Amino acid sequence: LFRSKTKKRSEGETQLESAQESMTQADGVLRGLSIVLGSIAAISLLVGGIGIMNIMLVSVTERTREIGTRKALGATTKDILTQFLIESAVLSMVGGMLGVLFAVSVVSAAGAILKMSVVISIPSIVIAVGFSALVGVFFGIFPARKAAKKDPIEALRYE
């Protein structure tokens, strides 16, 4: 009341707000932002996974003779499956590491420009790269199964 009288304002023109109300509003905004960023990340992982699957399908097609030769020499279905799953996991893990390097450099540069301290969590980086590898394995299952089920005689005839 005192403040409204000194500024020659009526009581309706002023508003008092507690720190708790401000915190609640900030939490709501941050929660919405987290949902949006999480959605963008999920879509990015889906698109990246589909890209990995396409790359692996092309790799399987290009290496049909290699697969036939390996099977003819005694490689089991499990061996071929493991080979292509490891390849897709490594491919996506390298992509994850490049993404982390890009993110760390952008955040560090932004922190330097804004003169803010930047905290980079190593466990978060490990989880991100590990999750990237899991996405690679998940989306590499179909191409790996396709490669593992190839008939060696048909694969050796393939040109």
Side-chain angles (χ1 to χ4, degrees):
L1 281 203
F2 177 73
R3 189 175 198 183
S4 65
K5 288 180 182 176
T6 58
K7 297 279 187 175
K8 297 183 182 175
R9 293 184 182 157
S10 66
E11 286 185 41
E13 292 179 7
T14 59
Q15 181 179 4
L16 294 177
E17 191 174 293
S18 71
Q20 184 64 36
E21 290 172 353
S22 295
M23 293 284 287
T24 304
Q25 284 179 339
D27 285 344
V29 169
L30 289 176
R31 191 175 306 113
L33 187 62
S34 293
I35 290 170
V36 168
L37 289 176
S39 300
I40 291 170
I43 291 168
S44 297
L45 283 173
L46 181 66
V47 170
I50 291 170
I52 288 168
M53 186 172 13
N54 285 335
I55 289 168
M56 293 307 298
L57 283 169
V58 168
S59 178
V60 166
T61 303
E62 288 177 350
R63 295 163 61 189
T64 300
R65 287 187 61 89
E66 174 195 332
I67 295 165
T69 304
R70 287 194 67 213
K71 284 194 128 196
L73 292 173
T76 64
T77 301
K78 183 181 176 188
D79 294 335
I80 304 293
L81 186 72
T82 303
Q83 173 189 348
F84 281 94
L85 285 178
I86 289 172
E87 194 172 312
S88 66
V90 168
L91 179 67
S92 62
M93 203 162 58
V94 167
M97 285 190 269
L98 289 174
V100 166
L101 286 173
F102 177 73
V104 167
S105 62
V106 167
V107 167
S108 297
I113 290 169
L114 298 173
K115 294 180 180 31
M116 297 176 66
S117 64
V118 175
V119 177
I120 298 170
S121 169
I122 299 299
S124 295
I125 291 173
V126 170
I127 290 169
V129 172
F131 194 74
S132 176
L134 283 176
V135 167
V137 169
F138 179 77
F139 282 95
I141 289 173
F142 176 71
R145 288 185 69 214
K146 183 178 177 186
K149 290 186 176 186
K150 284 194 178 287
D151 181 35
I153 296 169
E154 292 297 319
L156 287 170
R157 285 186 189 158
Y158 182 81
E159 280 297 320

